[in-house]
Amino acid sequence: MLLKEGENGNRIPSGCAISGIFSKSERRISGESIVSSIAVMHDRSNGLGGGFAGYGIYPEYKNQYAFHVFYDSNEAKEICERYLDRHFDVINLSKIPINRIPEITDEPLIWRYFVDPLPTKLAASQLDVKEYVVRCVNKINTQIDGCYVFSCGKNMGVFKAVGFPEDVGRFYRLDEYEGYCWTAHGRYPTNTPGWWGGAHPFAMLDYSIVHNGEISSYDANRRFIEMYGYKCSLLTDTEVITYITDYLLRKKELTLEEMASVIAAPFWSTIEHMPEPEKTRYKFLRNTFSSLLITGPFSILLGFTGGMMALNDRLKLRSMVVGEKDDMVYIASEECAMRVIEPNLDNIWSPRGGEPVIVRLDKQAMKEIGGEE
């Protein structure tokens, strides 16, 4: 029997490992590299969850939304597929290729769908296309038993399971994928048992989050974000951080820097000594989004189309280092996770608490993937 956190004295100290690789020139990187990086930090995980997010991995379907779905049964699959057929044009569907290995057991049915919203349904909904997709995904995840859409962005995908991350990488055959950005997570759960849906990354549209830490503001953050149509059904810190990201960036149209100054806001005493107009701006953000301040230790990696952002809590209670080599940027919990794939870094540093590190594709690469400059 898998004991939940706190049962019979089962207390797991906060651990976790995160790693990210990004090519500013959109050079395609094998998934084997990110697996090698996260494997070095094996001891930061306990085998109850590992996962990866890759960007630019589906160039042949770059204009379609890629749904990755877990199913508990064929019955759940049939119900979900009927729903998808009513709301989307399914361009392609298949099982996600896997290697069955002894280290990964009890896997659900894992399927992949490349879809476009049906024009008639989209028009009738009176929603923009992203909100339409989000609402459909939320309905599947909250109202159809036995299935869970764990990835739904364009030209990107999440791959996660219960197991050590290096085994999860072999299970999903990540060496067969190539992308310009990869993030990875090795899980050491603090408050919830290990299960496939609860592994990181968590994703909404093209936003994906991997997270190391244990936030003390979960209930306040959850109560606020659920007022805006999100449902935090998985009881994990990372789920609520993902929804906060989607809300602030997509719905409120904040910049990445502004989002960082909401969730890892400077102390009031620091704001008081800022010059104008920064002082007024930070006061506005803190007052307007006070319930979205994330407290407690955390380091996160946010992946999105055309970029990646790293952020520590404002007290820097979780480790994170950044390295650079030519057009490549590496971010990880430990320096060894970067040097195992790039021994000769040009530059390496540790960001300050609350200081976002943001990397983006160069303008030519952004044009080639159809992103904004």
Side-chain angles (χ1 to χ4, degrees), residues 278-290:
E278 287 84 359
K279 183 177 180 178
T280 298
R281 182 171 68 250
Y282 279 104
K283 278 187 174 181
F284 171 79
L285 291 171
R286 282 219 61 174
N287 285 321
T288 305
F289 302 108
S290 59

Side-chain angles (χ1 to χ4, degrees), residues 20 144 295:
I144 301 178
T295 58

Side-chain angles (χ1 to χ4, degrees), residues 235-349:
L235 307 177
T236 68
D237 298 341
T238 315
E239 179 188 32
V240 77
I241 295 173
T242 304
Y243 294 155
I244 288 172
T245 299
D246 181 67
Y247 174 74
L248 292 176
L249 295 181
R250 180 174 63 88
K251 291 191 173 184
K252 306 309 291 184
E253 298 182 346
L254 268 61
T255 65
L256 290 166
E257 292 85 355
E258 289 169 338
M259 185 197 79
S261 67
V262 168
I263 65 176
F267 292 101
W268 284 113
S269 58
T270 302
I271 294 175
E272 284 301 321
H273 291 89
M274 290 180 176
E276 295 289 1
E278 287 84 359
K279 183 177 180 178
T280 298
R281 182 171 68 250
Y282 279 104
K283 278 187 174 181
F284 171 79
L285 291 171
R286 282 219 61 174
N287 285 321
T288 305
F289 302 108
S290 59
S291 294
L292 298 183
L293 171 66
I294 298 175
T295 58
F298 69 83
S299 62
I300 63 173
L301 275 178
L302 162 65
F304 57 94
T305 297
M308 181 172 68
M309 181 180 84
L311 183 67
N312 267 130
D313 66 85
R314 54 190 178 176
L315 293 178
K316 195 169 175 59
L317 297 173
R318 286 292 178 269
S319 60
M320 185 166 64
V321 289
V322 182
E324 295 177 312
K325 175 69 175 179
D326 300 327
D327 74 314
M328 300 295 299
V329 178
Y330 306 89
I331 303 175
S333 299
E334 299 180 13
E335 182 178 341
C336 60
M338 301 185 296
R339 292 201 181 275
V340 71
I341 50 178
E342 180 47 72
N344 302 309
L345 293 167
D346 295 332
N347 190 21
I348 186 168
W349 78 96

Side-chain angles (χ1 to χ4, degrees), residues 162-275:
V162 173
F164 285 101
E166 60 269 29
D167 296 326
V168 174
R170 289 193 298 124
F171 175 81
Y172 279 109
R173 297 158 55 171
L174 291 191
D175 60 326
E176 299 176 13
Y177 296 83
E178 292 183 334
Y180 63 84
C181 173
W182 290 96
T183 64
H185 186 262
R187 191 165 186 233
Y188 211 130
T190 52
N191 291 308
T192 52
W195 72 289
W196 286 67
H200 303 197
F202 280 81
M204 179 58 70
L205 295 173
D206 70 310
Y207 302 126
S208 67
I209 293 283
V210 292
H211 164 227
N212 170 22
E214 183 178 10
I215 64 175
S216 56
S217 57
Y218 172 81
D219 280 331
N221 300 150
R222 176 188 57 80
R223 285 194 299 269
F224 180 92
I225 207 68
E226 286 190 338
M227 292 193 295
Y228 296 93
Y230 300 93
K231 179 64 176 175
C232 298
S233 57
L234 303 181
L235 307 177
T236 68
D237 298 341
T238 315
E239 179 188 32
V240 77
I241 295 173
T242 304
Y243 294 155
I244 288 172
T245 299
D246 181 67
Y247 174 74
L248 292 176
L249 295 181
R250 180 174 63 88
K251 291 191 173 184
K252 306 309 291 184
E253 298 182 346
L254 268 61
T255 65
L256 290 166
E257 292 85 355
E258 289 169 338
M259 185 197 79
S261 67
V262 168
I263 65 176
F267 292 101
W268 284 113
S269 58
T270 302
I271 294 175
E272 284 301 321
H273 291 89
M274 290 180 176

